[in-house]
Amino acid sequence: MADVGSALADVVGAEHVLSGEEISADYGGDEALGVAPQPPAFVVRPETTEQVAGVLRVAGEHGLAVTPRGSGTGLSGGAVPVPGGLVLSLERMNRVLEIDTANHVAVVQAGVTLGELDRLTAEAGLIYPVFPGESSASIGGTVSTNAGGMHAVKYGVTRHQVLGLEAVLAGGEVIRTGGRYVKTSTGYDLTQLIVGSEGTLAVVTEATLRLRPRAAHQASVLAPFSSLREVTAAVPKLVGSGLDPLILEYVDMLAMAAITANADVDLGVPEQVRQTTQAYLIVTLENRSAERLEADIEALGGLLTELGAADVYVLESNAARELITAREKAFWAAKSAGADAIVDAVIPRADLADFFEAVGGIGERRGTLIVGCGHAGDGNVHLSVFQPDPEKLTAVLREIFTEAMGRGGAISGEHGIGREKRPYFLDLEDPVKLRLMRQIKQVFDPQGILNPGVLFD
Amino acid sequence: MADVGSALADVVGAEHVLSGEEISADYGGDEALGVAPQPPAFVVRPETTEQVAGVLRVAGEHGLAVTPRGSGTGLSGGAVPVPGGLVLSLERMNRVLEIDTANHVAVVQAGVTLGELDRLTAEAGLIYPVFPGESSASIGGTVSTNAGGMHAVKYGVTRHQVLGLEAVLAGGEVIRTGGRYVKTSTGYDLTQLIVGSEGTLAVVTEATLRLRPRAAHQASVLAPFSSLREVTAAVPKLVGSGLDPLILEYVDMLAMAAITANADVDLGVPEQVRQTTQAYLIVTLENRSAERLEADIEALGGLLTELGAADVYVLESNAARELITAREKAFWAAKSAGADAIVDAVIPRADLADFFEAVGGIGERRGTLIVGCGHAGDGNVHLSVFQPDPEKLTAVLREIFTEAMGRGGAISGEHGIGREKRPYFLDLEDPVKLRLMRQIKQVFDPQGILNPGVLFD
């Protein structure tokens, strides 16, 4: 192992190779609830793409597992290393190389955080519209999991913003894919193949990202409904209205209580309305003109009332920001409430009410509390599952995923498979597709050194 | 061969297996200018996915090349078969299975045309926003080439609308990818890998497509500029304005003359303005409100004037429709004018003026007339190249593509590589990426029966 350490030090400098006691606990994992942290043999912190390539060559020579790591904010154990393996941390590759205002593109290194990119794009009147709710997340990490978030109903997910990548293959070769353009029909789209591959195909070192004009004005409304079925029926009408919602979130009554208690937000909903409310819809609109926004909010209020909302509360911008931040942090609320698993399945959005009914049945049958919120516009649901018994928990999750897939959905909308959902993925996904994926993995990484244990066994 | 014919007849019925004289000339090719048609040994017209699988199994057993075919409107020779091979025509798989207004999704068979889908989505107040300019194009074909068109500046290209696919692998296995949702992070994105693969990885039989609300009102303006450099400088300002253009097209003065002459459109631009005009910008806006559209068109006019337009003509809706239709048919204008090649390169849009200057230099040096128009918002340029000498033509095209790639662009933005651009693609693309693509091809199609000669040798 001393050999490996010195070979790595030759590549990145001794001060950027950590081992043993030097490795802080953080490097052992991410935010997944169900995957135990695992300290690696080495943490390596390259500063350049050439150094990443050098590290991968050393790893290849020694047959060492490599776990690429951004900020460690993932929720599926995709950044948990292998015993004896190395963590390739991209934290020093944190430069925004260009905010290109002529092409409306940002070129950034993988270690740049969403927060930093948001600050710089704001200065240019532009926005990178992916807000998964954790501004310390790195671009590399969000590319690897195809992160989504609340704005996906309007702007799509990470995949839709990534125009090009620089990535290092397992053998140390560097490729550049795509570029500063939206259109291309030039062979297989390697950019899109690498996005969402959770560090198993290549190490992303740089991304070329599409930026949009930043709308000057935002406003939010909160609408309590007496049933989730009404919420589900309202969603296509809201999207189809042309009001083009930026955010369309559903929060059930228990999740709302947890979220607001945790964040100490007062939404001004009277007690008697709260008592008959089963589900809340949060809708945010944006516009470059304050006047148009005001007219749209008024139209939205009318539409929500028509669609059965018990009332419509236009939130003061502070309250709206707090509620949305609190909703983004729902994971932490659920964690602090003692949730044993947090599930991020996706289903066709029209199935939301039926799906939740089925999930309620699973919870009742299995004696398990399941609380939900989610991206109503996308059919992406976040369920907090409270079931301390690991065996029972596995059975509940398996039923939930089976239900989602049975409705034409998928196991994860935005968190990824990682290590945590791997058993369900391998168990429930079509074996023909799994075979193709394994063979693609083999093409990119014949030795299997890139993030072993993630996606596949 | 009689054996093969009867095996195919067993799968699809004898009346849907054509051979010899029964095969009309159409089945021998597509609209590519530079690829000679080639009659296949058989044309097979399956009606179901199971039949497609059966045909592929027969082809596999007999080692027969299979060229999937939609409407044959491609521009790169992607539907030109191999001598002795079979054309798998999806013309009978032309059913719109569902316009799902709750999920805003269309589920269609591969042989459905864009025109038919547009008609049905219009009835539901929705739109499939891919308009590559040929409404007889099939969904399968547009998925295979990742077709773009004029609306890409607002809605993105085919890739961004395809949520899921049903596809048949070379061995006859049927897979279903994705679904009626925008978000997924569940292993490698096979949907996106198959989109744009030009029939070389699998035969697409069905697509699940994202639909958008259809805006009720559209208006277009025409702005003459005295230089392309001004046009290029105007584009980011127009996109950044938040006016969210649906169309942002650039047409040079020669191309405009050809387009309008061909379509007999009178745009009302006075002779003296025409004389100082080097380039026209066509901008279309859409809105659900006629009032807002009017205000936006006014703002657009002011902005264009600020940005140096010699004048701004708001086009009557008839004139606008005619101009845009004529622009969409620019390929036919160029073809009837005797163009020897039509090139569809993509570059970062800020490089448009420099790129055209370089292309002008190539034309001058090589004694070749090159006329251009293109999607200014996307950096996707369409060049008509007039050079009857095949050797000189090849040299000119090679220089054009090299110039595009040198600027971080790509050989094709939306037409695809097909057979026509294959030599340039194989010559100019990074060999490491080509190796990955060949190996991916090998994973999907180990026998190499799917569209051989397209993309690769």
Side-chain angles (χ1 to χ4, degrees), chain A residues 100-104 125-126 144-146 148-150 152-157 159-160 163 169 173-190 192-193 195-198 200-201 210 212-214 235-237 239-244 249 287-288 291-293 295-296 299 344 346-351 375 377-380 382 408-417 425 429-430 432-441 443-444 455-456, chain B residues 100-104 125-126 144-146 148-150 152-157 159-160 163 169 173-190 192-193 195-198 200-201 210 212-214 235-237 239-244 249 287-288 291-293 295-296 299 344 346-351 375 377-380 382 408-417 425 429-430 432-441 443-444 455-456:
Chain A
D100 171 352
T101 55
N103 290 303
H104 288 177
L126 298 169
S144 292
T145 54
N146 187 25
M150 291 195 189
V153 65
K154 176 160 183 175
Y155 292 107
V157 297
R159 177 177 302 293
H160 303 112
L163 303 179
L169 303 181
E173 288 160 314
V174 179
I175 58 171
R176 295 193 70 90
T177 68
R180 299 181 190 200
Y181 44 80
V182 175
K183 284 176 168 178
T184 178
S185 184
T186 316
Y188 308 146
D189 196 323
L190 301 177
Q192 294 299 326
L193 186 57
V195 174
S197 66
E198 303 194 38
T200 64
L201 295 182
R210 182 174 182 190
R212 319 281 176 135
R214 190 177 283 253
V235 166
K237 303 285 196 303
V239 175
S241 69
L243 292 167
D244 207 7
E249 290 290 307
N287 208 297
R288 66 200 153 88
E291 201 188 325
R292 286 190 182 185
L293 180 61
D296 284 354
D344 142 64
V346 66
I347 47 166
R349 70 179 184 216
D351 280 28
H375 310 298
D378 307 323
N380 183 201
H382 293 248
I411 291 175
S412 173
E414 56 190 11
H415 293 176
I417 298 298
F425 174 60
E429 185 54 278
D430 175 5
V432 177
K433 283 157 68 182
L434 287 175
R435 187 192 75 214
L436 291 173
M437 292 187 202
R438 282 183 203 274
Q439 290 178 334
I440 291 168
K441 162 78 176 170
V443 165
F444 278 78
L455 288 181
F456 309 113
Chain B
D100 171 352
T101 55
N103 290 303
H104 288 177
L126 298 170
S144 292
T145 55
N146 186 25
M150 290 197 191
V153 65
K154 178 162 182 175
Y155 292 106
V157 297
R159 177 178 301 294
H160 303 111
L163 303 179
L169 302 181
E173 289 160 313
V174 178
I175 58 171
R176 294 193 70 90
T177 68
R180 300 181 190 201
Y181 44 80
V182 175
K183 283 175 168 177
T184 178
S185 182
T186 316
Y188 308 147
D189 196 322
L190 300 177
Q192 294 300 323
L193 187 56
V195 174
S197 66
E198 302 192 38
T200 64
L201 295 183
R210 183 176 181 188
R212 320 280 177 136
R214 190 177 283 253
V235 166
K237 303 284 197 301
V239 175
S241 68
L243 291 166
D244 208 6
E249 289 291 306
N287 208 296
R288 67 200 150 88
E291 201 188 325
R292 286 190 183 186
L293 180 62
D296 284 354
D344 142 63
V346 66
I347 48 165
R349 71 178 184 217
D351 281 28
H375 310 299
D378 308 323
N380 183 201
H382 292 248
I411 290 174
S412 173
E414 56 191 11
H415 293 176
I417 298 298
F425 174 61
E429 185 54 278
D430 175 4
V432 176
K433 283 155 69 182
L434 287 176
R435 188 193 74 214
L436 291 173
M437 291 187 203
R438 282 184 203 276
Q439 291 178 333
I440 291 168
K441 162 78 174 170
V443 165
F444 278 78
L455 288 182
F456 309 112

Side-chain angles (χ1 to χ4, degrees), chain B residues 326-347:
Chain B
R327 163 60 194 91
E328 283 178 336
K329 305 286 180 214
F331 169 79
W332 299 104
K335 190 174 177 181
S336 74
D340 299 290
I342 294 181
V343 165
D344 142 63
V346 66
I347 48 165

